[in-house]
Amino acid sequence: MPTRPAPPTRTEILTRLREKVAAGHPIIGGGAGTGLSAKCAEAAGLDFIVIYNSGRYRMAGRSSMAGLMPYGDANAIVMEMAGEVLPVVDRIPVVAGVCGSDPFRLMHRFLREVKDAGFSGVQNYPTVCLFDGIIRANLEETGLGFDREVDMIAQARELDLLTCTYVANPDEAAAMAAAGADIVVPHMGLTTSGMIGAQTALGLEESKVKVGELARAAREKNPDVLVVCHGGPIAGPEEAAEVIGAVPEVQGFLGASSMERLPTEVAMVEHMSRYTRITL
């Protein structure tokens, strides 16, 4: 039985991504909550996929927000999902969503496990950047804050893993870029649209402004950092194209629900409905 090729290295991935941008084509990444999603992403020609714990929830019909709640061990779930996803793809780089603030893991050891499992990189998810107000303040005060995620990215960089980072404000963008992040991903919130999408979100025009602001903050620390947008009202190819076209600092798009949940809902409902229209 043929073995899966060695995963592409950070240098190989970044060279490919920079060449693509130089040729005038955006970077496109996608979340994969199932092996089938991963196979489809590779067949579609995506540049990389990310395994998040939230992918398991959304493809089970629950909100992606469940990935931020204590419904399971986020890091253990991702490692379990690796067994479903990694064996069924051949070429596409696979990134692990790592909960950097996990107080039950020695992070330097866990990151080695991630690399040994066959992942090419990491991304900070679940992430504290999606919390604000008193909950965010309490997380920061009790040693579970965003600085733990920044430290995780710095450690992953030392292991020569590709580093993707969600950020929600300029300070976070600057901190991640300074820590050596390869790809900064301004997060516009839970994706809207579909059966279990968010109702409360920024508008597309607001998102354009915010994405540009976060991109500039990251590039002040590292002019070479790549920036791709994500989430909120950027829910489909049209919205992604609009943001990429309107915000010169943006070089691509990373979709999760927009890559697997939304198209699955549309395709399955329409396909099943065709059966219900059969007449005797």
Side-chain angles (χ1 to χ4, degrees):
M1 182 176 178
T3 58
R4 182 175 185 265
T9 66
R10 171 181 171 272
T11 299
E12 291 170 341
I13 297 167
L14 288 174
T15 298
R16 207 173 301 153
L17 296 181
R18 295 189 189 284
E19 287 175 349
K20 191 176 183 185
V21 170
H25 302 292
I27 298 164
I28 305 296
T34 67
L36 180 59
S37 295
K39 289 178 73 72
C40 290
E42 185 167 64
L46 267 60
D47 295 302
F48 65 94
I49 55 177
V50 189
I51 300 179
Y52 305 105
N53 72 319
S54 60
R56 169 161 290 179
Y57 294 117
R58 67 172 155 265
M59 298 308 284
R62 276 72 172 182
S63 167
S64 295
M65 290 296 288
L68 298 175
M69 297 297 288
Y71 304 141
D73 181 336
N75 286 327
I77 288 171
V78 165
M79 295 302 283
E80 182 181 328
M81 292 171 71
E84 179 178 346
V85 170
L86 290 170
V88 299
V89 294
D90 295 320
R91 305 171 306 279
I92 192 167
V94 183
V95 173
V98 173
C99 181
S101 60
D102 186 340
F104 294 98
R105 294 237 174 8
L106 295 171
M107 193 50 61
H108 64 286
R109 291 187 180 179
F110 181 65
L111 290 174
R112 289 189 180 279
E113 292 176 25
V114 167
K115 187 170 185 176
D116 290 344
F119 286 102
S120 294
V122 300
Q123 182 162 5
N124 59 322
Y125 192 89
T127 173
V128 172
C129 84
L130 296 179
F131 292 91
D132 57 18
I134 192 168
I135 292 178
R136 174 64 181 269
N138 289 164
L139 287 168
E140 298 290 349
E141 293 163 355
T142 56
L144 302 173
F146 192 76
D147 61 310
R148 295 282 298 273
E149 299 177 29
V150 174
D151 185 56
M152 182 273 289
I153 291 297
Q155 291 184 59
R157 184 72 173 75
E158 291 176 2
L159 290 174
D160 205 32
L161 285 160
L162 182 75
T163 49
C164 306
T165 62
Y166 278 136
V167 296
N169 64 50
D171 290 341
E172 292 169 355
M176 283 299 194
D182 297 309
I183 304 173
V184 166
V185 188
H187 199 308
M188 296 299 104
L190 183 66
T191 300
T192 58
S193 301
M195 296 177 180
I196 50 175
Q199 302 299 315
T200 303
L202 294 174
L204 195 60
E205 294 303 316
E206 294 174 287
S207 293
K208 293 175 187 176
V209 173
K210 187 173 180 181
V211 167
E213 180 184 23
L214 271 57
R216 290 189 291 275
R219 294 236 170 85
E220 285 180 8
K221 293 293 183 181
N222 178 8
D224 295 325
V225 72
L226 297 167
V227 178
V228 301
C229 57
H230 171 86
I234 317 172
E238 296 78 13
E239 293 84 2
E242 184 173 339
V243 173
I244 291 169
V247 186
E249 296 90 351
V250 172
Q251 296 154 306
F253 172 71
L254 169 61
S257 291
S258 56
M259 287 290 183
E260 57 178 359
R261 175 178 64 82
L262 293 176
T264 299
E265 289 177 8
V266 173
M268 291 184 71
V269 171
E270 173 55 28
H271 183 71
M272 292 177 187
S273 296
R274 290 171 62 190
Y275 288 101
T276 69
R277 295 192 289 270
I278 295 173
T279 58
L280 294 175

